[in-house]
Short mmCIF file of all heavy atoms in Angstrom, two decimals:
data_model
loop_
_atom_site.label_atom_id
_atom_site.label_comp_id
_atom_site.label_asym_id
_atom_site.label_seq_id
_atom_site.Cartn_x
_atom_site.Cartn_y
_atom_site.Cartn_z
N MET N 9 1.06 0.29 24.44
CA MET N 9 1.21 0.67 23.05
C MET N 9 0.45 1.99 22.86
O MET N 9 -0.73 2.08 23.16
CB MET N 9 0.64 -0.42 22.14
CG MET N 9 0.71 -0.08 20.68
SD MET N 9 0.05 -1.31 19.54
CE MET N 9 0.83 -2.81 20.02
N ASP N 10 1.14 2.99 22.32
CA ASP N 10 0.47 4.27 22.09
C ASP N 10 -0.29 4.25 20.76
O ASP N 10 -0.20 3.30 19.98
CB ASP N 10 1.46 5.43 22.16
CG ASP N 10 2.52 5.38 21.07
OD1 ASP N 10 2.50 4.45 20.24
OD2 ASP N 10 3.38 6.28 21.04
N GLN N 11 -1.06 5.30 20.49
CA GLN N 11 -1.91 5.34 19.30
C GLN N 11 -1.10 5.33 18.01
O GLN N 11 -1.50 4.70 17.03
CB GLN N 11 -2.81 6.56 19.34
CG GLN N 11 -3.91 6.46 20.37
CD GLN N 11 -4.81 7.68 20.36
OE1 GLN N 11 -4.41 8.76 19.93
NE2 GLN N 11 -6.03 7.50 20.85
N LEU N 12 0.03 6.01 17.99
CA LEU N 12 0.85 6.05 16.78
C LEU N 12 1.41 4.67 16.46
O LEU N 12 1.40 4.25 15.29
CB LEU N 12 1.98 7.07 16.94
CG LEU N 12 2.87 7.28 15.72
CD1 LEU N 12 2.04 7.72 14.51
CD2 LEU N 12 3.96 8.28 16.02
N THR N 13 1.86 3.95 17.47
CA THR N 13 2.37 2.60 17.25
C THR N 13 1.26 1.67 16.77
O THR N 13 1.47 0.85 15.86
CB THR N 13 3.01 2.06 18.54
OG1 THR N 13 4.05 2.95 18.94
CG2 THR N 13 3.60 0.68 18.33
N ALA N 14 0.07 1.80 17.35
CA ALA N 14 -1.07 0.98 16.91
C ALA N 14 -1.43 1.29 15.46
O ALA N 14 -1.73 0.39 14.68
CB ALA N 14 -2.26 1.23 17.82
N PHE N 15 -1.37 2.57 15.08
CA PHE N 15 -1.64 2.97 13.70
C PHE N 15 -0.61 2.34 12.76
O PHE N 15 -0.97 1.80 11.70
CB PHE N 15 -1.62 4.49 13.58
CG PHE N 15 -1.74 5.00 12.18
CD1 PHE N 15 -2.94 4.91 11.49
CD2 PHE N 15 -0.65 5.59 11.56
CE1 PHE N 15 -3.05 5.38 10.19
CE2 PHE N 15 -0.75 6.06 10.26
CZ PHE N 15 -1.95 5.96 9.58
N GLY N 16 0.65 2.37 13.14
CA GLY N 16 1.70 1.76 12.32
C GLY N 16 1.53 0.26 12.20
O GLY N 16 1.71 -0.31 11.11
N LEU N 17 1.16 -0.38 13.29
CA LEU N 17 0.91 -1.82 13.26
C LEU N 17 -0.24 -2.15 12.33
O LEU N 17 -0.17 -3.09 11.53
CB LEU N 17 0.63 -2.34 14.67
CG LEU N 17 0.30 -3.83 14.79
CD1 LEU N 17 1.48 -4.68 14.33
CD2 LEU N 17 -0.09 -4.16 16.23
N PHE N 18 -1.31 -1.37 12.39
CA PHE N 18 -2.44 -1.56 11.50
C PHE N 18 -2.02 -1.40 10.04
O PHE N 18 -2.37 -2.23 9.18
CB PHE N 18 -3.56 -0.57 11.83
CG PHE N 18 -4.66 -0.56 10.81
CD1 PHE N 18 -5.60 -1.57 10.77
CD2 PHE N 18 -4.72 0.45 9.86
CE1 PHE N 18 -6.61 -1.57 9.80
CE2 PHE N 18 -5.72 0.46 8.90
CZ PHE N 18 -6.65 -0.55 8.86
N ALA N 19 -1.27 -0.34 9.73
CA ALA N 19 -0.86 -0.07 8.35
C ALA N 19 0.00 -1.20 7.79
O ALA N 19 -0.24 -1.69 6.68
CB ALA N 19 -0.10 1.26 8.28
N VAL N 20 0.97 -1.65 8.55
CA VAL N 20 1.88 -2.69 8.07
C VAL N 20 1.16 -4.04 7.97
O VAL N 20 1.39 -4.80 7.03
CB VAL N 20 3.12 -2.77 8.98
CG1 VAL N 20 4.00 -3.94 8.61
CG2 VAL N 20 3.91 -1.47 8.88
N THR N 21 0.26 -4.32 8.90
CA THR N 21 -0.52 -5.56 8.83
C THR N 21 -1.43 -5.55 7.60
O THR N 21 -1.53 -6.56 6.89
CB THR N 21 -1.35 -5.76 10.11
OG1 THR N 21 -0.46 -5.79 11.23
CG2 THR N 21 -2.16 -7.04 10.06
N ALA N 22 -2.07 -4.41 7.33
CA ALA N 22 -2.91 -4.29 6.15
C ALA N 22 -2.09 -4.47 4.88
O ALA N 22 -2.53 -5.14 3.93
CB ALA N 22 -3.62 -2.93 6.13
N MET N 23 -0.88 -3.92 4.85
CA MET N 23 -0.01 -4.11 3.68
C MET N 23 0.26 -5.59 3.45
O MET N 23 0.18 -6.08 2.32
CB MET N 23 1.33 -3.38 3.89
CG MET N 23 1.23 -1.88 3.76
SD MET N 23 2.74 -1.03 4.28
CE MET N 23 3.98 -1.88 3.36
N LEU N 24 0.58 -6.32 4.50
CA LEU N 24 0.87 -7.75 4.39
C LEU N 24 -0.34 -8.53 3.88
O LEU N 24 -0.22 -9.34 2.95
CB LEU N 24 1.33 -8.29 5.75
CG LEU N 24 1.56 -9.79 5.82
CD1 LEU N 24 2.75 -10.17 4.95
CD2 LEU N 24 1.79 -10.21 7.25
N VAL N 25 -1.50 -8.26 4.46
CA VAL N 25 -2.71 -8.99 4.08
C VAL N 25 -3.07 -8.71 2.62
O VAL N 25 -3.33 -9.64 1.84
CB VAL N 25 -3.88 -8.62 5.02
CG1 VAL N 25 -5.20 -9.14 4.49
CG2 VAL N 25 -3.61 -9.15 6.43
N PHE N 26 -3.09 -7.44 2.23
CA PHE N 26 -3.50 -7.10 0.86
C PHE N 26 -2.46 -7.54 -0.16
O PHE N 26 -2.82 -7.91 -1.28
CB PHE N 26 -3.80 -5.61 0.74
CG PHE N 26 -5.02 -5.21 1.51
CD1 PHE N 26 -5.00 -4.12 2.36
CD2 PHE N 26 -6.21 -5.93 1.41
CE1 PHE N 26 -6.13 -3.74 3.07
CE2 PHE N 26 -7.34 -5.57 2.13
CZ PHE N 26 -7.30 -4.48 2.96
N TYR N 27 -1.20 -7.55 0.21
CA TYR N 27 -0.17 -8.06 -0.70
C TYR N 27 -0.39 -9.55 -0.97
O TYR N 27 -0.26 -10.01 -2.10
CB TYR N 27 1.23 -7.82 -0.11
CG TYR N 27 2.34 -8.29 -1.01
CD1 TYR N 27 2.71 -7.56 -2.14
CD2 TYR N 27 3.01 -9.48 -0.74
CE1 TYR N 27 3.73 -8.01 -2.96
CE2 TYR N 27 4.02 -9.93 -1.57
CZ TYR N 27 4.38 -9.19 -2.67
OH TYR N 27 5.39 -9.64 -3.50
N ALA N 28 -0.74 -10.28 0.08
CA ALA N 28 -0.98 -11.73 -0.07
C ALA N 28 -2.20 -12.01 -0.94
O ALA N 28 -2.27 -13.07 -1.57
CB ALA N 28 -1.15 -12.36 1.30
N LEU N 29 -3.15 -11.09 -1.00
CA LEU N 29 -4.39 -11.30 -1.74
C LEU N 29 -4.39 -10.68 -3.14
O LEU N 29 -5.40 -10.76 -3.85
CB LEU N 29 -5.57 -10.74 -0.94
CG LEU N 29 -5.84 -11.40 0.41
CD1 LEU N 29 -6.91 -10.63 1.17
CD2 LEU N 29 -6.24 -12.85 0.22
N GLU N 30 -3.30 -10.07 -3.55
CA GLU N 30 -3.27 -9.31 -4.80
C GLU N 30 -3.68 -10.11 -6.03
O GLU N 30 -4.25 -9.55 -6.96
CB GLU N 30 -1.88 -8.73 -5.05
CG GLU N 30 -1.61 -7.48 -4.28
CD GLU N 30 -0.30 -6.86 -4.67
OE1 GLU N 30 0.53 -7.51 -5.35
OE2 GLU N 30 -0.08 -5.70 -4.30
N ASP N 31 -3.41 -11.39 -6.09
CA ASP N 31 -3.75 -12.19 -7.27
C ASP N 31 -5.25 -12.40 -7.44
O ASP N 31 -5.70 -12.76 -8.52
CB ASP N 31 -3.05 -13.54 -7.22
CG ASP N 31 -1.55 -13.43 -7.42
OD1 ASP N 31 -1.11 -12.40 -7.98
OD2 ASP N 31 -0.83 -14.36 -7.01
N ARG N 32 -6.02 -12.17 -6.39
CA ARG N 32 -7.46 -12.43 -6.43
C ARG N 32 -8.25 -11.34 -7.13
O ARG N 32 -9.29 -11.61 -7.72
CB ARG N 32 -8.00 -12.61 -5.02
CG ARG N 32 -7.43 -13.83 -4.34
CD ARG N 32 -7.92 -13.91 -2.92
NE ARG N 32 -7.28 -15.05 -2.26
CZ ARG N 32 -7.95 -15.98 -1.63
NH1 ARG N 32 -9.25 -15.92 -1.55
NH2 ARG N 32 -7.30 -16.96 -1.06
N SER N 33 -7.79 -10.09 -7.06
CA SER N 33 -8.53 -8.98 -7.64
C SER N 33 -7.64 -7.75 -7.73
O SER N 33 -6.81 -7.52 -6.84
CB SER N 33 -9.76 -8.66 -6.79
OG SER N 33 -10.36 -7.46 -7.19
N PRO N 34 -7.83 -6.93 -8.77
CA PRO N 34 -7.09 -5.66 -8.83
C PRO N 34 -7.41 -4.75 -7.64
O PRO N 34 -6.59 -3.92 -7.27
CB PRO N 34 -7.56 -5.03 -10.14
CG PRO N 34 -8.11 -6.14 -10.95
CD PRO N 34 -8.63 -7.15 -9.98
N TRP N 35 -8.57 -4.92 -7.04
CA TRP N 35 -8.93 -4.08 -5.91
C TRP N 35 -8.06 -4.35 -4.69
O TRP N 35 -7.88 -3.47 -3.84
CB TRP N 35 -10.41 -4.21 -5.60
CG TRP N 35 -11.23 -3.57 -6.68
CD1 TRP N 35 -11.95 -4.21 -7.64
CD2 TRP N 35 -11.31 -2.18 -6.97
NE1 TRP N 35 -12.50 -3.29 -8.49
CE2 TRP N 35 -12.13 -2.03 -8.10
CE3 TRP N 35 -10.79 -1.04 -6.38
CZ2 TRP N 35 -12.44 -0.79 -8.66
CZ3 TRP N 35 -11.09 0.20 -6.93
CH2 TRP N 35 -11.90 0.31 -8.04
N TYR N 36 -7.51 -5.56 -4.59
CA TYR N 36 -6.56 -5.82 -3.51
C TYR N 36 -5.25 -5.08 -3.76
O TYR N 36 -4.57 -4.70 -2.81
CB TYR N 36 -6.33 -7.32 -3.33
CG TYR N 36 -7.49 -8.02 -2.68
CD1 TYR N 36 -8.21 -8.97 -3.36
CD2 TYR N 36 -7.86 -7.71 -1.37
CE1 TYR N 36 -9.29 -9.62 -2.77
CE2 TYR N 36 -8.93 -8.35 -0.77
CZ TYR N 36 -9.64 -9.30 -1.48
OH TYR N 36 -10.70 -9.93 -0.88
N ILE N 37 -4.89 -4.89 -5.01
CA ILE N 37 -3.70 -4.08 -5.32
C ILE N 37 -3.96 -2.64 -4.90
O ILE N 37 -3.09 -1.97 -4.33
CB ILE N 37 -3.35 -4.17 -6.82
CG1 ILE N 37 -3.04 -5.62 -7.21
CG2 ILE N 37 -2.17 -3.26 -7.15
CD1 ILE N 37 -2.85 -5.83 -8.70
N PHE N 38 -5.17 -2.14 -5.19
CA PHE N 38 -5.53 -0.79 -4.78
C PHE N 38 -5.50 -0.67 -3.25
O PHE N 38 -5.00 0.32 -2.70
CB PHE N 38 -6.90 -0.42 -5.32
CG PHE N 38 -7.30 0.99 -5.02
CD1 PHE N 38 -6.80 2.03 -5.79
CD2 PHE N 38 -8.15 1.28 -3.97
CE1 PHE N 38 -7.14 3.34 -5.51
CE2 PHE N 38 -8.50 2.59 -3.69
CZ PHE N 38 -8.00 3.62 -4.46
N ALA N 39 -6.04 -1.68 -2.56
CA ALA N 39 -6.02 -1.67 -1.10
C ALA N 39 -4.58 -1.71 -0.58
O ALA N 39 -4.26 -1.06 0.43
CB ALA N 39 -6.83 -2.84 -0.56
N PHE N 40 -3.71 -2.45 -1.25
CA PHE N 40 -2.30 -2.47 -0.87
C PHE N 40 -1.69 -1.08 -1.02
O PHE N 40 -0.94 -0.62 -0.16
CB PHE N 40 -1.54 -3.49 -1.72
CG PHE N 40 -0.05 -3.49 -1.50
CD1 PHE N 40 0.48 -3.98 -0.32
CD2 PHE N 40 0.81 -3.00 -2.47
CE1 PHE N 40 1.86 -3.99 -0.11
CE2 PHE N 40 2.18 -3.00 -2.26
CZ PHE N 40 2.71 -3.49 -1.08
N ALA N 41 -2.04 -0.39 -2.11
CA ALA N 41 -1.55 0.97 -2.31
C ALA N 41 -2.02 1.89 -1.19
O ALA N 41 -1.24 2.71 -0.68
CB ALA N 41 -1.99 1.51 -3.67
N ALA N 42 -3.28 1.76 -0.80
CA ALA N 42 -3.81 2.58 0.29
C ALA N 42 -3.09 2.27 1.60
O ALA N 42 -2.76 3.18 2.38
CB ALA N 42 -5.32 2.35 0.43
N ALA N 43 -2.82 1.00 1.85
CA ALA N 43 -2.10 0.61 3.07
C ALA N 43 -0.67 1.15 3.05
O ALA N 43 -0.14 1.56 4.08
CB ALA N 43 -2.12 -0.90 3.24
N CYS N 44 -0.05 1.16 1.87
CA CYS N 44 1.29 1.74 1.75
C CYS N 44 1.26 3.24 2.05
O CYS N 44 2.17 3.78 2.69
CB CYS N 44 1.85 1.52 0.35
SG CYS N 44 2.35 -0.17 0.01
N ALA N 45 0.20 3.91 1.60
CA ALA N 45 0.05 5.34 1.90
C ALA N 45 -0.08 5.55 3.41
O ALA N 45 0.51 6.49 3.97
CB ALA N 45 -1.15 5.91 1.16
N LEU N 46 -0.84 4.68 4.07
CA LEU N 46 -0.94 4.77 5.53
C LEU N 46 0.42 4.53 6.18
O LEU N 46 0.78 5.20 7.15
CB LEU N 46 -1.97 3.77 6.05
CG LEU N 46 -3.42 4.02 5.71
CD1 LEU N 46 -4.29 2.87 6.23
CD2 LEU N 46 -3.89 5.35 6.26
N GLY N 47 1.17 3.57 5.65
CA GLY N 47 2.51 3.32 6.17
C GLY N 47 3.42 4.52 5.99
O GLY N 47 4.24 4.82 6.85
N SER N 48 3.27 5.21 4.87
CA SER N 48 4.06 6.41 4.62
C SER N 48 3.72 7.50 5.63
O SER N 48 4.61 8.15 6.20
CB SER N 48 3.81 6.92 3.20
OG SER N 48 4.53 8.10 2.95
N VAL N 49 2.43 7.69 5.86
CA VAL N 49 2.00 8.68 6.86
C VAL N 49 2.58 8.32 8.22
O VAL N 49 3.11 9.19 8.93
CB VAL N 49 0.46 8.76 6.91
CG1 VAL N 49 -0.02 9.56 8.11
CG2 VAL N 49 -0.09 9.36 5.62
N TYR N 50 2.51 7.06 8.57
CA TYR N 50 3.08 6.61 9.84
C TYR N 50 4.57 6.93 9.93
O TYR N 50 5.04 7.45 10.94
CB TYR N 50 2.85 5.10 10.04
CG TYR N 50 3.68 4.53 11.16
CD1 TYR N 50 3.37 4.81 12.48
CD2 TYR N 50 4.79 3.74 10.89
CE1 TYR N 50 4.15 4.31 13.52
CE2 TYR N 50 5.57 3.24 11.91
CZ TYR N 50 5.24 3.52 13.23
OH TYR N 50 6.02 3.04 14.25
N GLY N 51 5.31 6.64 8.86
CA GLY N 51 6.74 6.90 8.88
C GLY N 51 7.06 8.37 9.12
O GLY N 51 7.93 8.70 9.93
N PHE N 52 6.33 9.24 8.44
CA PHE N 52 6.57 10.67 8.63
C PHE N 52 6.15 11.13 10.02
O PHE N 52 6.86 11.93 10.65
CB PHE N 52 5.87 11.49 7.54
CG PHE N 52 6.56 11.41 6.21
CD1 PHE N 52 5.93 10.82 5.13
CD2 PHE N 52 7.83 11.92 6.02
CE1 PHE N 52 6.55 10.74 3.90
CE2 PHE N 52 8.48 11.85 4.80
CZ PHE N 52 7.84 11.26 3.74
N LEU N 53 5.00 10.65 10.52
CA LEU N 53 4.56 11.05 11.85
C LEU N 53 5.51 10.55 12.94
O LEU N 53 5.71 11.22 13.96
CB LEU N 53 3.15 10.50 12.12
CG LEU N 53 2.00 11.16 11.37
CD1 LEU N 53 0.70 10.44 11.66
CD2 LEU N 53 1.90 12.64 11.73
N GLN N 54 6.10 9.40 12.72
CA GLN N 54 7.00 8.82 13.70
C GLN N 54 8.38 9.47 13.65
O GLN N 54 9.17 9.32 14.57
CB GLN N 54 7.09 7.30 13.46
CG GLN N 54 7.66 6.55 14.60
CD GLN N 54 8.87 5.74 14.20
OE1 GLN N 54 9.40 5.85 13.10
NE2 GLN N 54 9.34 4.94 15.11
N GLY N 55 8.66 10.17 12.58
CA GLY N 55 9.96 10.82 12.44
C GLY N 55 10.95 10.01 11.63
O GLY N 55 12.11 10.39 11.50
N ALA N 56 10.53 8.90 11.09
CA ALA N 56 11.39 8.05 10.26
C ALA N 56 11.13 8.39 8.80
O ALA N 56 10.50 7.62 8.07
CB ALA N 56 11.12 6.58 10.55
N TRP N 57 11.59 9.57 8.37
CA TRP N 57 11.27 10.04 7.02
C TRP N 57 11.79 9.14 5.91
O TRP N 57 11.14 9.05 4.87
CB TRP N 57 11.70 11.49 6.83
CG TRP N 57 13.17 11.73 6.97
CD1 TRP N 57 13.84 12.10 8.09
CD2 TRP N 57 14.15 11.60 5.93
NE1 TRP N 57 15.18 12.20 7.83
CE2 TRP N 57 15.40 11.91 6.50
CE3 TRP N 57 14.09 11.26 4.59
CZ2 TRP N 57 16.57 11.88 5.77
CZ3 TRP N 57 15.26 11.24 3.86
CH2 TRP N 57 16.48 11.55 4.45
N PRO N 58 12.93 8.42 6.06
CA PRO N 58 13.30 7.49 4.97
C PRO N 58 12.24 6.40 4.77
O PRO N 58 11.91 6.05 3.64
CB PRO N 58 14.63 6.90 5.43
CG PRO N 58 15.21 7.92 6.37
CD PRO N 58 14.01 8.48 7.07
N PHE N 59 11.70 5.89 5.86
CA PHE N 59 10.62 4.89 5.77
C PHE N 59 9.40 5.51 5.08
O PHE N 59 8.77 4.89 4.22
CB PHE N 59 10.26 4.39 7.17
CG PHE N 59 9.18 3.35 7.19
CD1 PHE N 59 9.46 2.02 6.93
CD2 PHE N 59 7.86 3.70 7.46
CE1 PHE N 59 8.47 1.06 6.94
CE2 PHE N 59 6.86 2.74 7.47
CZ PHE N 59 7.17 1.42 7.21
N GLY N 60 9.07 6.75 5.45
CA GLY N 60 7.94 7.43 4.83
C GLY N 60 8.13 7.61 3.33
O GLY N 60 7.19 7.44 2.56
N LEU N 61 9.34 7.94 2.91
CA LEU N 61 9.62 8.11 1.48
C LEU N 61 9.52 6.79 0.72
O LEU N 61 8.95 6.73 -0.38
CB LEU N 61 11.01 8.71 1.27
CG LEU N 61 11.17 10.19 1.61
CD1 LEU N 61 12.62 10.61 1.43
CD2 LEU N 61 10.25 11.04 0.76
N VAL N 62 10.07 5.74 1.29
CA VAL N 62 10.03 4.43 0.63
C VAL N 62 8.58 3.94 0.51
O VAL N 62 8.17 3.44 -0.54
CB VAL N 62 10.91 3.40 1.38
CG1 VAL N 62 10.67 2.00 0.86
CG2 VAL N 62 12.37 3.78 1.24
N GLU N 63 7.80 4.13 1.55
CA GLU N 63 6.40 3.72 1.50
C GLU N 63 5.62 4.57 0.48
O GLU N 63 4.70 4.06 -0.18
CB GLU N 63 5.75 3.79 2.87
CG GLU N 63 6.24 2.73 3.82
CD GLU N 63 6.02 1.32 3.29
OE1 GLU N 63 4.98 1.05 2.67
OE2 GLU N 63 6.91 0.48 3.50
N ALA N 64 5.96 5.84 0.35
CA ALA N 64 5.32 6.68 -0.66
C ALA N 64 5.66 6.17 -2.07
O ALA N 64 4.79 6.13 -2.95
CB ALA N 64 5.76 8.14 -0.51
N ALA N 65 6.90 5.73 -2.26
CA ALA N 65 7.29 5.16 -3.55
C ALA N 65 6.52 3.87 -3.82
O ALA N 65 6.03 3.64 -4.94
CB ALA N 65 8.79 4.90 -3.59
N TRP N 66 6.38 3.01 -2.80
CA TRP N 66 5.60 1.77 -2.96
C TRP N 66 4.14 2.09 -3.28
O TRP N 66 3.49 1.36 -4.04
CB TRP N 66 5.67 0.91 -1.71
CG TRP N 66 6.82 -0.04 -1.73
CD1 TRP N 66 7.90 -0.03 -0.90
CD2 TRP N 66 7.02 -1.13 -2.63
NE1 TRP N 66 8.75 -1.05 -1.24
CE2 TRP N 66 8.23 -1.75 -2.30
CE3 TRP N 66 6.29 -1.64 -3.70
CZ2 TRP N 66 8.72 -2.84 -2.98
CZ3 TRP N 66 6.78 -2.73 -4.38
CH2 TRP N 66 7.98 -3.32 -4.02
N THR N 67 3.62 3.17 -2.72
CA THR N 67 2.24 3.58 -3.03
C THR N 67 2.11 3.85 -4.52
O THR N 67 1.17 3.38 -5.18
CB THR N 67 1.86 4.84 -2.23
OG1 THR N 67 1.96 4.55 -0.83
CG2 THR N 67 0.45 5.29 -2.55
N LEU N 68 3.05 4.61 -5.07
CA LEU N 68 3.00 4.93 -6.51
C LEU N 68 3.16 3.68 -7.37
O LEU N 68 2.43 3.50 -8.35
CB LEU N 68 4.07 5.96 -6.85
CG LEU N 68 3.88 7.34 -6.23
CD1 LEU N 68 5.07 8.23 -6.55
CD2 LEU N 68 2.58 7.97 -6.71
N VAL N 69 4.08 2.81 -7.01
CA VAL N 69 4.28 1.57 -7.76
C VAL N 69 3.00 0.74 -7.76
O VAL N 69 2.56 0.23 -8.80
CB VAL N 69 5.46 0.76 -7.17
CG1 VAL N 69 5.51 -0.65 -7.74
CG2 VAL N 69 6.78 1.49 -7.42
N ALA N 70 2.38 0.60 -6.59
CA ALA N 70 1.16 -0.19 -6.50
C ALA N 70 0.02 0.44 -7.28
O ALA N 70 -0.78 -0.27 -7.90
CB ALA N 70 0.76 -0.37 -5.03
N LEU N 71 -0.08 1.77 -7.28
CA LEU N 71 -1.14 2.43 -8.07
C LEU N 71 -0.95 2.20 -9.56
O LEU N 71 -1.93 1.97 -10.29
CB LEU N 71 -1.18 3.92 -7.75
CG LEU N 71 -1.80 4.29 -6.41
CD1 LEU N 71 -1.63 5.78 -6.14
CD2 LEU N 71 -3.26 3.88 -6.34
N PHE N 72 0.29 2.24 -10.03
CA PHE N 72 0.55 1.95 -11.45
C PHE N 72 0.21 0.49 -11.77
O PHE N 72 -0.36 0.20 -12.83
CB PHE N 72 2.00 2.25 -11.82
CG PHE N 72 2.27 3.71 -12.02
CD1 PHE N 72 3.13 4.38 -11.17
CD2 PHE N 72 1.68 4.41 -13.05
CE1 PHE N 72 3.38 5.73 -11.34
CE2 PHE N 72 1.92 5.76 -13.24
CZ PHE N 72 2.78 6.43 -12.38
N ARG N 73 0.53 -0.43 -10.86
CA ARG N 73 0.19 -1.84 -11.07
C ARG N 73 -1.32 -2.04 -11.07
O ARG N 73 -1.86 -2.81 -11.87
CB ARG N 73 0.84 -2.71 -9.99
CG ARG N 73 2.34 -2.83 -10.18
CD ARG N 73 3.05 -3.65 -9.11
NE ARG N 73 2.32 -4.83 -8.73
CZ ARG N 73 1.94 -5.09 -7.47
NH1 ARG N 73 2.22 -4.27 -6.49
NH2 ARG N 73 1.29 -6.20 -7.20
N TRP N 74 -2.02 -1.36 -10.17
CA TRP N 74 -3.49 -1.45 -10.13
C TRP N 74 -4.10 -0.94 -11.43
O TRP N 74 -4.97 -1.57 -12.00
CB TRP N 74 -4.03 -0.66 -8.94
CG TRP N 74 -5.51 -0.48 -8.98
CD1 TRP N 74 -6.45 -1.44 -8.78
CD2 TRP N 74 -6.22 0.72 -9.26
NE1 TRP N 74 -7.71 -0.91 -8.90
CE2 TRP N 74 -7.59 0.42 -9.20
CE3 TRP N 74 -5.83 2.02 -9.54
CZ2 TRP N 74 -8.58 1.38 -9.42
CZ3 TRP N 74 -6.80 2.98 -9.76
CH2 TRP N 74 -8.15 2.65 -9.70
N ARG N 75 -3.61 0.20 -11.90
CA ARG N 75 -4.15 0.77 -13.14
C ARG N 75 -3.92 -0.16 -14.32
O ARG N 75 -4.79 -0.35 -15.16
CB ARG N 75 -3.52 2.14 -13.42
CG ARG N 75 -4.22 2.89 -14.53
CD ARG N 75 -3.68 4.26 -14.69
NE ARG N 75 -2.36 4.14 -15.32
CZ ARG N 75 -1.59 5.17 -15.58
NH1 ARG N 75 -1.95 6.37 -15.23
NH2 ARG N 75 -0.44 5.00 -16.18
N ALA N 76 -2.76 -0.79 -14.36
CA ALA N 76 -2.45 -1.72 -15.46
C ALA N 76 -3.35 -2.96 -15.40
O ALA N 76 -3.81 -3.44 -16.43
CB ALA N 76 -0.99 -2.13 -15.40
N ARG N 77 -3.61 -3.48 -14.21
CA ARG N 77 -4.46 -4.68 -14.07
C ARG N 77 -5.93 -4.36 -14.22
O ARG N 77 -6.70 -5.20 -14.69
CB ARG N 77 -4.26 -5.32 -12.70
CG ARG N 77 -3.05 -6.17 -12.53
CD ARG N 77 -3.23 -7.65 -12.75
NE ARG N 77 -4.35 -8.31 -12.16
CZ ARG N 77 -4.37 -8.91 -10.98
NH1 ARG N 77 -3.31 -8.92 -10.22
NH2 ARG N 77 -5.45 -9.52 -10.56
N ALA N 78 -6.36 -3.17 -13.81
CA ALA N 78 -7.79 -2.83 -13.83
C ALA N 78 -8.26 -2.35 -15.19
O ALA N 78 -9.45 -2.42 -15.48
CB ALA N 78 -8.08 -1.77 -12.77
N SER N 79 -7.35 -1.87 -16.02
CA SER N 79 -7.75 -1.34 -17.32
C SER N 79 -8.07 -2.48 -18.30
O SER N 79 -7.48 -3.55 -18.22
CB SER N 79 -6.67 -0.44 -17.91
OG SER N 79 -5.52 -1.19 -18.20
N PRO N 80 -9.00 -2.25 -19.21
CA PRO N 80 -9.31 -3.28 -20.21
C PRO N 80 -8.10 -3.59 -21.06
O PRO N 80 -7.30 -2.71 -21.36
CB PRO N 80 -10.43 -2.67 -21.04
CG PRO N 80 -10.84 -1.41 -20.36
CD PRO N 80 -9.78 -1.06 -19.37
N LYS N 81 -7.99 -4.83 -21.44
CA LYS N 81 -6.86 -5.26 -22.27
C LYS N 81 -6.98 -4.71 -23.67
O LYS N 81 -8.04 -4.74 -24.28
CB LYS N 81 -6.79 -6.79 -22.34
CG LYS N 81 -6.69 -7.43 -20.99
CD LYS N 81 -5.31 -7.31 -20.42
CE LYS N 81 -5.20 -8.11 -19.16
NZ LYS N 81 -4.85 -7.38 -18.02
N GLN N 82 -5.89 -4.17 -24.20
CA GLN N 82 -5.83 -3.67 -25.58
C GLN N 82 -5.35 -4.78 -26.49
O GLN N 82 -4.44 -5.52 -26.16
CB GLN N 82 -4.86 -2.48 -25.68
CG GLN N 82 -5.23 -1.32 -24.80
CD GLN N 82 -6.46 -0.59 -25.30
OE1 GLN N 82 -6.71 -0.55 -26.49
NE2 GLN N 82 -7.23 -0.04 -24.39
N GLN N 83 -5.98 -4.90 -27.66
CA GLN N 83 -5.54 -5.94 -28.61
C GLN N 83 -4.99 -5.32 -29.85
O GLN N 83 -5.25 -4.31 -30.28
CB GLN N 83 -6.69 -6.86 -28.96
CG GLN N 83 -7.06 -7.71 -27.80
CD GLN N 83 -8.11 -8.76 -28.21
OE1 GLN N 83 -8.54 -8.83 -29.35
NE2 GLN N 83 -8.50 -9.55 -27.25
#
């Protein structure tokens, strides 16, 4: 296994773990967003730019979800 493949495996595994833990804390949503960003970097480095674009979109979605969960509730 080369370094790029190991990096991709780490990114995707982190995405799975943090996605499973999202209900426990908004910080797990943030960690999921960071893992998605790593997955995006992996996709572009590997040459699979559609994967990189989709992971970049998931990064933005997760950041918006994190901001919504982390912000104080308005009444």
